[in-house]
Amino acid sequence: MPAEPGPVPAGGPRPCPPPGDFHSEQQYQQQKFSHQSSGPPYRKDQYFPREQNRGERGRGRGGWQGGHQSASEEIPRYITVSTFAQARAAEMKAMLKAVTQKSSNSLVFQTLPRQMRRRAMSHNIKRLPRRLQEIARKEAEKAVHQKKEQSKTKCRKARRRHVNLVAEFNRRQRKNIWLETHIWHAKRFHMVKKWGYCLGNSPTEKCYRACYRAMTNHCLLQDLSYYCCLELTGKENELLKQLARICSIDTGLTFRVAHCLSGRFQGSLNLYRADRYPEDALGPVTFIWKPRDGSENRQLWIWMHPALKQDILNELKEIFQCSEPEKVYIPEPATTSAQEEEQMDVVLSLGKKRKKKDKEGEKAVPVKKIIGDGTRDPLQSYSWISQTTGVVISDRTMEIIRYRLIGPLSHCVLTETLKAASLQTMADSESELNNWWVENCKDSEKVSLHQRQTAIFELLEGISSPSEMPPGTILGLTVGDPRVNLPKKKRKTMPDPEKYQDNDKVRQLYLEGVPVECAHSFIWDQDICKNVTENKISEQDLNQMRAQLLVPGSQLDLGPCESKIPILLVQQPGKMAGEDRPGWGSGWDIYLPKGWGMAFWIPFIYRGVRVGGLQEAANHSEYQRTPHTPNDFPDCPAGMQFAKELEATLLEKFKRRPPAKRANYIKLGTLSPFICPWEQLTKNWEGRMNASEEFICPSPPHAENCATEGNGFCDPEPEVAKEASPETGEVEETMEITSTEGAIKREDDPGSQNFGERDEALTRGFVVLRSKKLLMQVAAWCYPTSGKDRRIRLISRLGQKEMTEDVFLPILMRYPRALVWVSLSLLRKGNPELHAMICIPTEDDLLHLSKDKLFCGPQEPKHRDIFKKKKKKKMEKEEEKDNVEALESDSPSVLDEETTEEHEDLILGLWPDTLPDVTSHCSRTLLGYVTRGDFSLAAGCGEALGFVSLTGLLYMLHGQPADKKGLVLLRTPASLQYRFARLTIEV
């Protein structure tokens, strides 16, 4: 197809030859080259002809030339029709696609010019131009499918309606269970999600000292409803026979103890896997037996922390052979999926405009509030039966509410808040309210029992502190609705001096406790609890009754309509071990049926109690110097899991800081700042005991052989090195070589361990000593004394033996790798922290302390960080590797891969997973670690709780002078300063 040739400007280049003419093309290029090379090198006319204007200079292809070309090429005379048509067709297709397909997020009517837009276009498609109506229709259909949930777009007034709130709260409880007091806590506490619950951690206000004063002088309230309850029902002999396998009389009480078996007192013990004591601990529990009622079957409640529930439940099902579920439990308060969909449809419709004839959604299905076990999976079984023994295990978690009142005036709060239920002989024919109470009031024996329980409950006003009662006393009672006698204003409850009379009844209550029959409560009957929960008077009805009173603010009398609630009161003894502050932290636990949580919570608040969370519970156990669950149980699975989570949290927090703004624990001589290596600690002490006869000829730990800035690390202790190998030089050379590989480790030391395997060995290989007899023996040996003969008299008074080889060597043979729970009190200033190291002082340290009473303690020499250079080498190799990859696409060499794998776990300032001997790493021999420590408001000094190696403790006590028994050194992970502390074991 010919094309019209374009005009060629005068003086311009010669026209292009036709395509396909090879010789003409070659002649043309030669002429062009010869034309460009003639004349001066930088002439202006060489590149731009005289007739070409400035606007045509520098243009690109397609008729516009730039660079060194002289002018635009001429339009070709011929083109190929097929190629030209295909190119134009592709361009037209792309243009049509760009026109029809919307590229922006704006709607159709928003693409119109402003003068053509109308407000009605957004909801009326016919207002749009006809060419855009089809596109708008598609957008509307797409928006219907992608529309967000209706509740998100509701106004605040609609969202705050009661039915919508309940539905939203039920939805939010599916993942983490809420307690009945959750809303109250969420407004006043920092909430945390733990163990499948949403719990209050600490109050938002500053009340650390106020909570301590409440525990010491008045009353502190805690919601312990998240604790789990397992109910065992069966014959007494079958229950005791199997339960004896998971506990030991060596640790104290068992399920068979007489005063607990009768139901008068609550017991506490530590559980183990069947026939595995003292290994494989499961954790601490408390238990309550239902008093005998003439039936051959007995009921037993076992209360435990939620972190321990699954392990204990599996062990109970295994020993009782309860593999078959008795029934699938479907709780009534919980809603099924079909009901939920129906209720959500109603809720969504409630958010829209209502017609006047629909009065506030009368047709709406009321949404039930999830209480108790409503958050459970309806298809999961919660009751198991044994076909061989007939024992039934029931999970009653969240079925019983449990509150704890701590403080010397907790009994005053109880007696003022709760009033015994009045007798009732006439039932309400319209409802089932109090039908069970009417039936029991017709029985004269039960009426007499209720009167006796009421008399004992009223006697509690005459005691000065709950610690005066026998430990674990149980009192059953039936009370009226505590919302009826709510005070007008919040005030602090104080004791009445007139009721503090030294009468015979109070004295008898001190000595004998509550009789067995008075420990009975109707809360053991699940049918009665269900009736009480379902027939509770709502707050709305109660407020309407208050509004109808003739005298506003007067006492509300419900008469026979008042609810009757069975409860159980259990005394908590407080601090029982040790000589200081006996009975501190005592109080009462109150057990209620589900659904009555806030009905009892608000009246307690109106009596001036303080409310505490998880942090206050930890402080309560710390001041009592008792282990806290699950933090202080390193030999059970829950304690190991807690240690892992704590290590991950602290390590993440450590990594967030730059290296210059965080501690270098390698230079500080801290091997494990975020977790306590109990397994390796006990292994190292066992290796030291097996390597030499240290207990016969003890040698003081070395104090001057530790490394400073310019030297290497500590040499092994003389006795260990002598036993390890006669060629001491080879041992030192091996340590030197191993240290260059990433850790200092003696190859012949059985105590050293690859700490990368500690996840599987944290609960194996070591045990926690809980034998009461042995603990009392060791406690007497480390008892602080100041006189020469006083220790002998003290040991003889306690009935314990003197510390000789014949006495403590059998203990070491039986428990070679055991930990002992100890409490420490600093002699001078200092504040112990988490994971602080407990060390053995040298003879020079004790001598210096004797000469200078103000001597706080020695100081650890600074260590050398041998991993710092390796970290730098790693960074340099990574930079070189990046540069090489940028230049060449080849894979890295095998040597670089090995080096990367070797140092990929290096973190600046932290030891790798492979740790050396933890006992001899520093200048003072390591004895144990602190699990909890802080300044004690009760003692007025720094106090700490932790575990020490039993072998190391006996080694220290055997080598210490008589007047310095029990003195140890404490050092926090981020400090080089040691401080003296007094070690005691409280049993």
Side-chain angles (χ1 to χ4, degrees):
M1 179 178 178
E4 298 181 1
V8 180
R14 297 176 63 183
C16 303
D21 191 350
F22 176 75
H23 299 285
S24 301
E25 178 70 20
Q26 191 175 9
Q27 293 174 4
Y28 171 73
Q29 293 293 340
Q30 292 175 358
Q31 292 176 5
K32 184 177 178 181
F33 178 77
S34 63
H35 174 71
Q36 292 176 356
S37 60
S38 61
Y42 294 103
R43 279 188 59 185
K44 190 176 182 181
D45 298 338
Q46 174 185 351
Y47 301 102
F48 300 102
R50 296 175 183 176
E51 291 81 4
Q52 188 176 0
N53 55 20
R54 290 179 179 271
E56 296 174 350
R57 301 176 185 178
R59 301 297 175 92
R61 300 175 184 177
W64 299 86
Q65 297 295 331
H68 65 277
Q69 296 182 358
S70 58
S72 62
E73 295 182 358
E74 185 180 350
I75 297 177
R77 295 180 181 180
Y78 302 96
I79 62 173
T80 305
V81 178
S82 61
T83 308
F84 181 82
Q86 288 178 1
R88 300 293 79 73
E91 292 177 358
M92 293 172 65
K93 186 177 180 181
M95 181 180 66
L96 290 175
K97 184 178 180 182
V99 171
T100 57
Q101 186 177 3
K102 188 179 65 171
S103 59
S104 63
N105 294 327
S106 59
L107 299 175
V108 176
F109 70 89
Q110 293 174 334
T111 60
L112 291 171
R114 293 187 179 275
Q115 66 271 15
M116 293 182 63
R117 298 184 187 181
R118 297 294 182 269
R119 183 184 303 170
M121 289 179 179
S122 60
H123 57 83
N124 190 359
I125 297 177
K126 293 183 179 180
R127 291 280 187 174
L128 285 166
R130 289 184 178 179
R131 62 183 177 85
L132 300 177
Q133 288 183 8
E134 187 65 27
I135 303 176
R137 224 173 258 111
K138 292 181 180 179
E139 286 183 352
E141 293 176 359
K142 187 178 180 181
V144 170
H145 295 295
Q146 295 182 351
K147 196 171 184 181
K148 293 184 179 180
E149 191 178 345
Q150 182 73 17
S151 60
K152 300 292 183 183
T153 60
K154 290 179 185 176
C155 63
R156 175 176 170 80
K157 184 177 180 182
R159 292 196 308 267
R160 299 301 296 177
R161 290 195 186 100
H162 178 71
V163 63
N164 295 352
L165 273 181
V166 173
E168 176 67 11
F169 291 162
N170 290 349
R171 181 191 65 82
R172 290 164 59 185
Q173 294 184 60
R174 291 173 185 169
K175 190 172 183 181
N176 294 285
I177 302 175
W178 286 6
L179 306 183
E180 293 189 18
T181 58
H182 172 83
I183 301 298
W184 190 95
H185 278 91
K187 297 178 180 180
R188 300 165 179 86
F189 274 68
H190 297 289
M191 307 300 290
V192 294
K193 295 176 181 177
K194 283 187 174 183
W195 313 301
Y197 296 87
C198 198
L199 306 174
N201 187 38
S202 60
T204 53
E205 61 178 352
K206 295 182 179 179
C207 58
Y208 183 84
R209 290 177 178 269
C211 290
Y212 168 74
R213 286 195 295 266
M215 287 187 283
T216 306
N217 302 323
H218 193 250
C219 183
L220 182 82
L221 176 63
Q222 290 179 337
D223 189 354
L224 301 183
S225 302
Y226 61 92
Y227 267 64
C228 303
C229 176
L230 297 179
E231 182 181 86
L232 275 65
T233 306
K235 296 182 179 179
E236 181 178 319
N237 294 334
E238 292 291 340
L239 291 175
L240 293 176
K241 178 182 177 182
Q242 299 300 330
L243 290 174
R245 299 174 56 192
I246 60 175
C247 60
S248 174
I249 197 173
D250 196 24
T251 61
L253 299 179
T254 62
F255 291 99
R256 195 184 289 272
V257 63
H259 64 275
C260 295
L261 188 59
S262 62
R264 291 182 60 197
F265 297 98
Q266 174 187 257
S268 60
L269 48 81
N270 288 280
L271 296 185
Y272 296 82
R273 296 202 182 275
D275 307 322
R276 291 290 296 166
Y277 173 81
E279 300 176 354
D280 294 337
L282 295 176
V285 298
T286 58
F287 63 93
I288 301 175
W289 286 94
K290 180 183 178 181
R292 295 182 177 90
D293 54 357
S295 174
E296 69 174 335
N297 284 344
R298 296 292 304 274
Q299 282 180 260
L300 171 67
W301 282 354
I302 302 178
W303 288 86
M304 69 211 69
H305 193 273
L308 314 173
K309 173 187 172 182
Q310 200 57 45
D311 297 324
I312 295 178
L313 178 60
N314 293 337
E315 192 66 24
L316 289 175
K317 288 194 294 184
E318 183 177 349
I319 63 174
F320 287 108
Q321 301 176 2
C322 297
S323 57
E324 181 180 342
E326 181 190 20
K327 60 183 177 179
V328 176
Y329 185 81
I330 303 179
E332 292 188 1
T335 56
T336 61
S337 58
Q339 290 175 339
E340 284 185 357
E341 292 177 0
E342 182 181 356
Q343 292 170 5
M344 286 305 298
D345 294 339
V346 173
V347 171
L348 295 179
S349 64
L350 290 175
K352 301 177 182 178
K353 284 189 175 181
R354 298 189 181 93
K355 297 181 180 180
K356 291 185 178 180
K357 61 181 180 180
D358 186 10
K359 298 180 180 179
E360 295 298 321
E362 290 180 352
K363 300 178 182 179
V365 179
V367 180
K368 290 185 179 181
K369 180 182 178 182
I370 290 182
I371 58 174
D373 58 349
T375 51
R376 294 176 175 179
D377 184 5
L379 302 178
Q380 187 175 353
S381 58
Y382 292 94
S383 184
W384 301 266
I385 186 172
S386 174
Q387 299 295 335
T388 57
T389 60
V391 175
V392 180
I393 302 177
S394 304
D395 185 4
R396 299 200 65 186
T397 304
M398 296 296 295
E399 286 290 287
I400 302 171
I401 298 172
R402 181 179 178 183
Y403 293 156
R404 175 165 290 178
L405 297 167
I406 304 171
L409 298 184
S410 56
H411 60 284
C412 297
V413 175
L414 276 177
T415 53
E416 186 170 339
T417 304
L418 307 179
K419 302 298 178 184
S422 59
L423 299 178
Q424 183 179 350
T425 56
M426 295 294 294
D428 190 0
S429 58
E430 297 181 359
S431 65
E432 297 181 358
L433 179 65
N434 299 333
N435 284 350
W436 65 275
W437 182 244
V438 173
E439 294 295 329
N440 285 292
C441 288
K442 294 178 181 179
D443 190 348
S444 59
E445 294 183 0
K446 294 183 178 179
V447 170
S448 174
L449 176 61
H450 175 66
Q451 293 175 351
R452 294 178 61 186
Q453 290 175 337
T454 304
I456 293 176
F457 180 70
E458 292 175 353
L459 283 178
L460 295 180
E461 299 182 39
I463 65 177
S464 59
S465 174
S467 60
E468 297 179 355
M469 297 287 294
T473 298
I474 297 176
L475 175 63
L477 192 63
T478 303
V479 298
D481 196 334
R483 298 172 292 178
V484 175
N485 57 347
L486 200 66
K488 297 180 181 179
K489 292 183 180 181
K490 182 180 177 180
R491 57 185 178 83
K492 183 176 287 189
T493 301
M494 299 305 293
D496 188 1
E498 296 180 357
K499 296 183 179 180
Y500 283 94
Q501 301 176 359
D502 190 15
N503 52 25
D504 297 336
K505 293 184 179 180
V506 176
R507 191 180 301 107
Q508 184 180 4
L509 187 63
Y510 288 161
L511 299 176
E512 299 179 1
V514 178
V516 179
E517 57 272 10
C518 292
H520 179 269
S521 174
F522 293 106
I523 199 173
W524 289 93
D525 193 336
Q526 297 187 24
D527 295 333
I528 292 178
C529 291
K530 181 180 179 181
N531 182 283
V532 171
T533 300
E534 292 177 349
N535 296 290
K536 173 191 172 186
I537 303 177
S538 64
E539 292 286 343
Q540 183 179 5
D541 296 340
L542 212 59
N543 291 334
Q544 289 179 356
M545 295 178 187
R546 288 195 181 103
Q548 295 174 0
L549 290 174
L550 295 177
V551 180
S554 59
Q555 187 76 21
L556 183 63
D557 186 11
L558 299 180
C561 296
E562 182 180 1
S563 301
K564 308 299 188 294
I565 307 103
I567 65 171
L568 198 66
L569 299 176
V570 181
Q571 189 261 4
Q572 297 298 321
K575 190 175 185 301
M576 299 179 64
E579 297 182 354
D580 56 333
R581 296 179 286 115
W584 186 92
S586 60
W588 292 89
D589 280 7
I590 175 172
Y591 298 83
L592 315 167
K594 68 176 180 180
W596 285 88
M598 290 303 297
F600 280 76
W601 185 267
I602 297 301
F604 283 143
I605 300 297
Y606 267 72
R607 266 66 183 192
V609 301
R610 278 268 174 191
V611 180
L614 298 178
Q615 181 179 340
E616 284 68 33
N619 294 338
H620 177 240
S621 62
E622 183 177 346
Y623 288 139
Q624 289 188 102
R625 298 171 186 165
T626 56
H628 187 62
T629 311
N631 313 21
D632 301 323
F633 290 86
D635 57 338
C636 70
M640 181 186 66
Q641 182 65 26
F642 176 83
K644 289 181 183 178
E645 295 175 358
L646 180 62
E647 181 188 23
T649 303
L650 296 178
L651 184 59
E652 182 184 359
K653 184 178 179 181
F654 179 80
K655 288 181 180 180
R656 285 201 298 263
R657 290 174 173 261
K661 301 297 181 183
R662 66 192 187 196
N664 189 330
Y665 291 108
I666 298 179
K667 289 187 177 182
L668 295 171
T670 305
L671 293 176
S672 182
F674 305 137
I675 191 172
C676 301
W678 304 118
E679 174 73 16
Q680 186 164 358
L681 176 70
T682 53
K683 272 188 176 182
N684 293 156
W685 273 108
E686 184 185 18
R688 291 166 64 99
M689 182 183 68
N690 296 333
S692 62
E693 301 175 355
E694 293 183 3
F695 294 95
I696 300 176
C697 302
S699 59
H702 59 290
E704 306 298 334
N705 295 339
C706 190
T708 56
E709 263 320 311
N711 301 328
F713 281 91
C714 305
D715 297 329
E717 294 194 4
E719 63 273 14
V720 180
K722 187 184 301 182
E723 182 68 21
S725 173
E727 297 96 22
T728 313
E730 291 185 8
V731 175
E732 293 178 356
E733 185 179 356
T734 306
M735 291 178 60
E736 193 75 19
I737 294 173
T738 316
S739 65
T740 61
E741 294 297 326
I744 298 178
K745 175 181 175 183
R746 288 199 304 273
E747 296 178 354
D748 56 341
D749 184 9
S752 56
Q753 171 204 13
N754 186 353
F755 214 60
E757 303 173 357
R758 62 187 173 190
D759 292 344
E760 295 80 15
L762 264 175
T763 54
R764 294 197 306 267
F766 74 93
V767 297
V768 175
L769 183 64
R770 297 188 176 96
S771 172
K772 296 293 183 182
K773 183 178 180 181
L774 294 181
L775 285 176
M776 292 182 65
Q777 180 70 75
V778 179
W781 288 340
C782 62
Y783 200 91
T785 58
S786 57
K788 184 177 180 181
D789 299 328
R790 180 184 170 189
R791 182 166 198 80
I792 301 174
R793 292 197 301 269
L794 176 66
I795 292 176
S796 61
R797 180 169 58 88
L798 294 176
Q800 304 299 333
K801 303 176 182 179
E802 188 66 27
M803 187 176 186
T804 59
E805 296 176 11
D806 298 336
V807 177
F808 67 75
L809 284 180
I811 300 176
L812 293 178
M813 295 302 174
R814 184 180 178 186
Y815 297 97
R817 298 172 61 185
L819 298 175
V820 182
W821 173 258
V822 297
S823 61
L824 304 110
S825 179
L826 292 175
L827 299 185
R828 299 294 175 188
K829 64 178 182 178
N831 191 19
E833 297 178 0
L834 180 67
H835 299 152
M837 290 162 281
I838 308 172
C839 303
I840 301 176
T842 62
E843 292 182 358
D844 295 338
D845 298 335
L846 298 177
L847 185 62
H848 195 172
L849 180 64
S850 302
K851 295 179 180 179
D852 185 8
K853 297 298 182 182
L854 300 178
F855 177 57
C856 293
Q859 195 167 6
E860 175 72 18
K862 201 170 185 180
H863 293 236
R864 181 171 58 87
D865 188 358
I866 62 173
F867 300 103
K868 193 172 184 180
K869 294 182 180 179
K870 296 186 178 182
K871 184 70 175 177
K872 290 182 179 179
K873 289 180 181 179
K874 176 189 173 184
M875 297 175 64
E876 292 175 359
K877 288 185 178 295
E878 288 178 354
E879 293 178 0
E880 292 177 2
K881 180 181 176 182
D882 295 340
N883 295 336
V884 170
E885 288 180 354
L887 297 175
E888 301 176 3
S889 59
D890 299 337
S891 60
S893 62
V894 180
L895 181 62
D896 292 338
E897 292 181 357
E898 292 178 356
T899 309
T900 305
E901 292 177 359
E902 179 184 354
H903 302 298
E904 62 181 359
D905 58 342
L906 285 180
I907 302 174
L908 196 62
L910 289 180
W911 276 82
D913 284 342
T914 304
L915 297 182
D917 188 349
V918 294
T919 59
S920 60
H921 178 68
C922 297
S923 61
R924 271 50 175 190
T925 305
L926 184 67
L927 192 62
Y929 290 95
V930 169
T931 58
R932 281 183 294 147
D934 200 354
F935 182 83
S936 174
L937 297 176
C941 64
E943 284 193 345
L945 301 170
F947 291 93
V948 297
S949 170
L950 175 63
T951 307
L953 179 62
L954 295 180
Y955 164 72
M956 182 192 74
L957 295 175
H958 185 68
Q960 280 186 336
D963 57 341
K964 302 293 182 184
K965 295 284 186 182
L967 282 181
V968 295
L969 292 173
L970 276 182
R971 182 166 72 92
T972 56
S975 174
L976 294 171
Q977 180 66 48
Y978 289 96
R979 298 193 181 277
F980 280 102
R982 177 73 66 182
L983 182 144
T984 56
I985 299 176
E986 296 183 348
V987 187

